[in-house]
Structure formats: C-alpha cells, structure tokens
Amino acid sequence: MMKSTEPQYRLLSRVDISLPRRGGVSWGSLLKVSQTRIVLFSKEDYKPNTRVSLQFRFQTDDGKEAKETADAIVTWQCGNNAGLDFDPPFASDRPTSLLGRYLLKRSDAALDGAHSKVLVQPTAPLPAPSKGMETVLLVEDEEMQRTVFRKTLEKSGYTVLEARFNSEAFMLYKRNMDTIRLIVTDVMMPGISGRELAEPLRSTRPDLRIVYMSSSPHPELLRYRVLSEDMPFLQKPFSPDILTRKVREVLGAH
C-alpha cells in the first residue's frame, strides 16, 4: 500500500486577528481547535457577536509554508481567553482549505508562544450520525430554539417531548418515565436550573441520560460548579449535526 505523499503540515499557534470595522491586526495563541470553533489566548477585548477574520499559518518540517484565512464570530470572552465559532463552519470536503481538509488535534503540551506547534493529521469526512429511535425530553424556555432542536431530533428519528419550563418537564417525565431515555436541557432557566431538574430524576433512574446546553461559557459553568467536567455539554450556538451526534454519543455510550 502506497503512503500518501501529501505534506504533513503543522499548525503554528499564532493567529492573526483582523477586525474589519476597527482596522489593524492583533494576534492570539491557539488553545483549542476543532472544525467548528477555536479558543484563543489574546489580550485584546472582543465583544460577543463581533465578526473577525483569522489567518492561520501552517508549516512542514522542511520549512514549506501555507496560510489559510477564515471568518469567525466571537461567542464569549473570559479574561484573556476568547471562544469563536467559524462562520461558515468548515466542511471536511473543502478541497482548497487546509483547515477544512484536516482535523486539528491539539497535543497535550500547552501552546505557549508563537512557536508552539499543533500536529495536523489528514482525516476523512465525518460520517453522518446514525438514526435514533429513543424518546427524548427536551427542556428549553426559548421557543425558537426549542422548535429548531425538536425538528432536528425528530428528523433523526427520535420521539421528542418538549417542555417550556421545569414544572412542565416534571409533568411530562412523570407521564412518560418508562419511555424517556434522555433529557436535553438548558442550564439556565427561570426557576430551578437544568441540573436541579435533571439530577433528582436521574437519582431514581440511573440509566437516564442527561445532556446540558447553555450559551454561557463552559469554563464559567465549571468554575462556579454549575456543572462538572463529566457532564455531557453543548455550547450554544451549535449546528444540527453537533446536536444529533452528541445525543447519539450519550445514548450509545451506555
């Protein structure tokens, strides 16, 4: 079997950040990278929903270089760390984009300084999520989001029971506790939190699975112990594929 002759690029940690309306270029260091979002260390202040242009640098061991530009939207900032979602998200079959053709994997070593590197490995397009047949209890107080999430899960084969608030969720669960396999709940809602809703139910049903979602930064939810590291979590906003993959992952893990 012949080995691929395609260069094995490494991603330099420094990223140039352009804010179209402000002008000029700042820079940040990569902390985490995926095909849908990145987390950067930067001393620049970014407001949520700010659109920016990012320029990534790739390099092979023999010094060959390449650059790739991507648009992104700032979703959160906490201290010197900022999270951004690619807009539009990268498709794994984009032939002209290094970021689209490669899945970026961060090494265990910290990315300190502009000369740190991340190995970029070739990857095939992600498989489509498998169809589900389970019943999911969806708890979301925002009507538009709830409708989108419900339609996404129903399209993937799930039976969805939707609740606008906690008392409605308790009632639906009581009526359907023998069939509900998973609860997908927003963390921050009027009244009790999603965790305060889900954990008492799970204490009586160890096989009941929970997925939490929030627009609040995940590091903040962990810092203030709203959630813990082992709790499946979705950072809003997320794509339909990300929702169905997470649901299938959590249900299929047990």
Side-chain angles (χ1 to χ4, degrees):
M1 183 175 178
M2 295 182 63
K3 293 185 178 180
S4 172
T5 59
E6 189 170 5
Q8 297 296 295
Y9 285 93
R10 294 177 181 270
L11 175 62
L12 301 179
S13 73
R14 176 165 172 160
V15 177
D16 289 337
I17 307 166
S18 301
L19 288 86
R21 293 185 179 181
R22 188 185 305 180
V25 177
S26 59
W27 66 273
S29 294
L30 294 175
L31 297 177
K32 295 181 181 179
V33 190
S34 74
Q35 285 179 297
T36 57
R37 72 167 49 100
I38 65 171
V39 178
L40 294 173
F41 172 87
S42 175
K43 294 184 178 180
E44 186 80 16
D45 289 329
Y46 303 106
K47 293 182 179 180
N49 299 318
T50 299
R51 299 185 67 89
V52 299
S53 180
L54 308 171
Q55 186 175 74
F56 299 84
R57 291 177 172 84
F58 295 85
Q59 190 176 66
T60 61
D61 289 337
D62 61 3
K64 182 178 179 180
E65 294 187 355
K67 295 180 180 179
E68 179 63 32
T69 300
D71 294 325
I73 297 178
V74 179
T75 55
W76 60 268
Q77 183 165 21
C78 180
N80 290 330
N81 294 343
L84 304 90
D85 285 353
F86 292 122
D87 184 45
F90 282 103
S92 56
D93 59 353
R94 260 179 78 182
T96 60
S97 169
L98 283 170
L99 288 177
R101 288 162 50 207
Y102 290 93
L103 179 63
L104 311 180
K105 295 183 178 180
R106 186 169 72 92
S107 65
D108 292 334
L111 292 172
D112 295 326
H115 299 293
S116 300
K117 295 181 179 181
V118 181
L119 183 62
V120 183
Q121 297 285 10
T123 182
L126 293 172
S130 59
K131 295 286 185 178
M133 296 182 293
E134 297 89 345
T135 298
V136 176
L137 175 56
L138 172 64
V139 190
E140 169 61 66
D141 60 314
E142 292 288 341
E143 182 177 1
M144 185 176 297
Q145 292 187 27
R146 187 175 66 253
T147 299
V148 171
F149 299 159
R150 173 179 58 78
K151 289 182 177 180
T152 296
L153 292 173
E154 286 177 342
K155 187 177 179 181
S156 294
Y158 298 98
T159 299
V160 181
L161 305 175
E162 56 178 308
R164 297 166 293 174
F165 37 78
N166 292 310
S167 59
E168 195 171 56
F170 278 120
M171 180 182 67
L172 284 171
Y173 180 79
K174 186 175 181 180
R175 292 177 180 175
N176 302 275
M177 61 187 306
D178 292 335
T179 58
I180 293 173
R181 289 282 313 282
L182 173 75
I183 297 176
V184 178
T185 179
D186 195 11
V187 175
M188 303 298 188
M189 293 186 298
I192 64 175
S193 70
R195 183 174 181 178
E196 290 171 318
L197 162 73
E199 288 201 335
L201 301 181
R202 191 176 184 185
S203 67
T204 63
R205 280 266 315 276
D207 64 322
L208 182 65
R209 302 301 151 203
I210 316 294
V211 173
Y212 296 98
M213 53 186 178
S214 181
S215 56
S216 299
H218 194 214
E220 290 291 285
L221 297 175
L222 297 177
R223 178 181 302 175
Y224 293 106
R225 300 183 181 178
V226 178
L227 298 179
S228 59
E229 284 279 7
D230 61 339
M231 295 177 174
F233 178 77
L234 287 169
Q235 180 74 63
K236 295 180 180 179
F238 47 77
S239 69
D241 270 1
I242 290 177
L243 173 60
T244 51
R245 289 180 197 283
K246 176 61 73 173
V247 167
R248 188 70 259 151
E249 172 191 322
V250 173
L251 284 171
H254 300 273

